[in-house]
Amino acid sequence: MSKKVAVVLSGCGVFDGAEIYESVLTLLRLAESGAEVSVFAPNIPQMHVVNHLTGEVIEGETRNVLTEAARVVRGEISDVASAKADEFDALVVPGGFGAAKNLSDFAVKGGDLTVNEDFLAFAKAFHSAQKPIGLICIAPAMAAKICGEGAQCTIGNDADTAAAINATGAQHCDCLVTEFHFDETNKLVTTPAYMLAGSITEAATGINKLVDKVLSLV
């Protein structure tokens, strides 16, 4: 039987949603590995909308996280509020600022972050069932909320971001972009991806290793 993996996206676009390269690379590796994948996103408004050409916030425009994430997966996506962890073997969450703006408010509150209730309940159910979780790029900022105090994770080696993650109650560990960090106690796998990557190939190397490790833990 194929391994069943839930992937949670946070919109569409690096500055206000899910990082598209990270999302596609994750989905591609899972497909290549024969996993059965279902994709989810919260049915909520984005924190804001960013013009990806200029990097500027578009005032007065609103978009929905689920609707935007549907762009990445050709419409094959569901509301995370309807997701049930007991139907899956593992969870993977790509990064992009959406993980820090829509799935959580880490981008605004840092160590005092809160996490979207529906996503958090879904993710914590994996942890409670001792099922593996993969968090990519900035998504590891939510590690302590999902796995508890002392959860080990990485976003690479940025000192300020690492300090903010430590302030959440997690334990940051430096890591190369082409590698991953494995918290054996929590079955938590994290990789820096575009927190460090200078190219799509660098991001792919770390993401592929993360996906392979997550699947090996099922």
Side-chain angles (χ1 to χ4, degrees):
M1 293 178 64
S2 60
K3 299 172 181 180
K4 296 184 177 180
V5 180
V7 173
V8 175
L9 301 182
S10 55
C12 178
V14 58
F15 299 127
D16 58 13
E19 213 293 326
I20 296 172
Y21 284 177
E22 291 176 2
S23 302
V24 174
L25 288 168
T26 298
L27 295 167
L28 176 60
R29 189 63 167 187
L30 287 167
E32 290 174 338
S33 302
E36 183 180 333
V37 178
S38 296
V39 185
F40 302 93
N43 186 13
I44 58 173
Q46 290 183 187
M47 175 181 163
H48 55 212
V49 179
V50 175
N51 179 331
H52 279 62
L53 188 61
T54 65
E56 297 176 352
V57 174
I58 303 174
E59 299 295 343
E61 183 169 341
T62 60
R63 296 189 185 186
N64 178 278
V65 175
L66 178 60
T67 302
E68 288 299 293
R71 295 174 179 272
V72 181
V73 290
R74 303 169 64 87
E76 296 294 324
I77 194 168
S78 301
D79 186 347
V80 73
S82 68
K84 296 178 174 59
D86 58 8
E87 296 178 355
F88 299 96
D89 300 307
L91 169 67
V92 181
V93 184
F97 276 104
K101 293 178 177 179
N102 303 326
L103 295 184
S104 75
D105 52 16
F106 178 75
V108 176
K109 295 186 178 179
D112 294 324
L113 85 162
T114 59
V115 179
N116 172 269
E117 290 184 1
D118 292 327
F119 167 69
L120 183 60
F122 186 49
K124 288 181 74 171
F126 281 88
H127 179 254
S128 296
Q130 298 184 313
K131 295 178 180 181
I133 298 172
L135 303 177
I136 297 167
C137 188
I138 196 61
M142 301 180 286
K145 291 294 186 181
I146 295 169
C147 299
E149 196 90 7
Q152 295 180 358
C153 63
T154 191
I155 51 83
N157 58 18
D158 182 79
D160 290 341
T161 308
I165 285 177
N166 287 336
T168 70
Q171 179 184 343
H172 183 268
C173 305
D174 285 356
C175 181
L176 298 174
V177 65
T178 54
E179 298 297 332
F180 64 87
H181 182 79
F182 176 44
D183 178 346
E184 185 173 2
T185 300
N186 291 298
K187 287 192 175 181
L188 175 65
V189 190
T190 54
T191 192
Y194 273 100
M195 289 298 294
L196 277 182
S199 67
I200 191 171
T201 52
E202 283 188 346
T205 301
I207 289 171
N208 289 347
K209 289 179 179 179
L210 176 142
V211 169
D212 292 350
K213 181 63 176 179
V214 167
L215 292 177
S216 76
L217 296 168
V218 172

